[in-house]
Amino acid sequence: MQDTDTNQHYVSQFLLRGFHTENEAQIWAFDKLTDRSFTTAIDRVASEHGFYNIAGSAEIDDVIRKFEDATAPIVEEIRTRKSLRTLNEYKRIWLSGFTALQYVRTRAFSERSQDMMRQITQVVTQISGGKLSKKLRKQLGLDAPGSEHEKTLSTILRLVRPAVDELLKKTLVLYRSDGSLPFWIGDSPVAMHNTINPDDRLCSTLGLGVPGIEVYLPISSELVLAHMCPSITRYDLIEIGVLCSCDE
């Protein structure tokens, strides 16, 4: 039986443990709405009761937990060794899969997806003269059962595979802080940046397949995993502080 009455995390607890305070069960948190910092239990932060439930089923949460169980030892190995030199292709695939899953599983991703769908629906409705046909409503998934959040959740596992395919084309790099500025983690921890290919304010250049994309995932206050576009030269990576890459 699936337990749907659980506190389901949209940021993995084993990831959060890399940022614990002196008390290994706690983490520092910052509330952007109240501008307040405080310590809180790791098992209570970046989570909601029943966040992944769809129509009373916790199947998605079960899948995510299994994914985490397979990936956590790999991340812990990297934290301990502070190196990617022992990373084989099998572990690399799991890390890429975990990064992709962590990107699409958050509250922020759900809210962005819902907003995008509302905007698309509004535009298509205007183009269609103010009324959508049954065919269009079906294509947009408007009549599917469940809340907007549940409709978004139903798509996230399908998004992981194409995201993994893109991440595996990147160069995997490990960055290490010198200690003066520790890394932080947020409730939407996968960050993307594009240094060599900035956007033109009309078209974003933050897609996983865009030339120059940099995809970052902090795994501790000292270490960040990065999937770097191959168009960024090895020399550039060394200049901005690479500890080691997986092909060394």
Side-chain angles (χ1 to χ4, degrees):
M1 294 291 292
Q2 297 173 337
D3 186 1
T4 58
D5 186 24
T6 57
N7 193 32
Q8 300 170 355
H9 283 73
Y10 45 83
V11 178
S12 295
Q13 292 188 70
F14 81 80
L15 204 57
L16 295 173
R17 292 189 188 103
F19 302 83
H20 65 76
T21 65
E22 292 181 359
N23 182 341
E24 294 187 1
Q26 292 188 331
I27 191 171
W28 276 101
F30 175 70
D31 190 324
K32 290 180 286 186
L33 296 178
T34 63
D35 197 27
R36 186 171 66 95
S37 299
F38 54 94
T39 57
T40 185
I42 287 174
D43 62 4
R44 295 178 57 187
V45 72
S47 62
E48 293 181 25
H49 266 81
F51 181 78
Y52 295 112
N53 292 350
I54 299 179
S57 169
E59 182 180 356
I60 291 180
D61 189 51
D62 289 342
V63 172
I64 289 174
R65 287 172 182 268
K66 291 175 182 177
F67 216 106
E68 291 175 338
D69 290 342
T71 312
I74 302 172
V75 172
E76 189 56 39
E77 179 184 346
I78 296 172
R79 287 172 175 164
T80 302
R81 295 177 177 272
K82 297 179 175 57
S83 171
L84 299 179
R85 288 188 176 91
T86 60
L87 200 69
N88 57 31
E89 189 62 22
Y90 173 80
K91 293 177 181 178
R92 167 72 192 276
I93 292 172
W94 275 106
L95 279 178
S96 297
F98 176 75
T99 302
L101 181 59
Q102 182 58 78
Y103 177 64
V104 302
R105 64 184 281 191
T106 63
R107 163 63 69 183
F109 183 87
S110 175
E111 291 177 349
R112 286 197 304 270
S113 298
Q114 292 173 53
D115 182 64
M116 181 177 66
M117 182 52 63
R118 284 191 290 268
Q119 293 186 53
I120 291 173
T121 301
Q122 183 179 9
V123 171
V124 173
T125 301
Q126 291 174 348
I127 294 174
S128 303
K131 187 176 181 180
L132 295 177
S133 66
K134 289 184 178 180
K135 181 179 180 180
L136 279 174
R137 293 187 64 85
K138 182 177 181 180
Q139 290 174 336
L140 293 172
L142 298 179
D143 295 329
S147 66
E148 291 185 350
H149 175 60
E150 288 179 317
K151 292 174 184 177
T152 299
L153 288 179
S154 67
T155 69
I156 63 173
L157 296 181
R158 295 198 300 270
L159 296 175
V160 171
R161 180 55 188 269
V164 171
D165 290 342
E166 290 296 333
L167 290 175
L168 288 175
K169 298 175 185 177
K170 315 302 184 206
T171 300
L172 187 62
V173 177
L174 185 66
Y175 289 89
R176 183 178 181 182
S177 169
D178 63 5
S180 61
L181 290 173
F183 296 119
W184 293 5
I185 191 169
D187 56 8
S188 187
V190 178
M192 291 192 285
H193 185 64
N194 203 321
T195 303
I196 66 173
N197 184 20
D199 65 65
D200 57 6
R201 298 187 180 182
L202 292 176
C203 297
S204 171
T205 58
L206 295 183
L208 290 177
V210 176
I213 192 65
E214 309 155 32
V215 183
Y216 298 99
L217 176 66
I219 61 172
S220 76
S221 57
E222 185 182 13
L223 301 171
V224 167
L225 280 173
H227 291 78
M228 310 293 282
C229 176
S231 64
I232 305 172
T233 66
R234 185 179 182 83
Y235 174 78
D236 290 334
L237 293 177
I238 293 174
E239 285 297 300
I240 57 178
V242 173
L243 177 64
C244 63
S245 60
C246 65
D247 55 355
E248 286 187 314

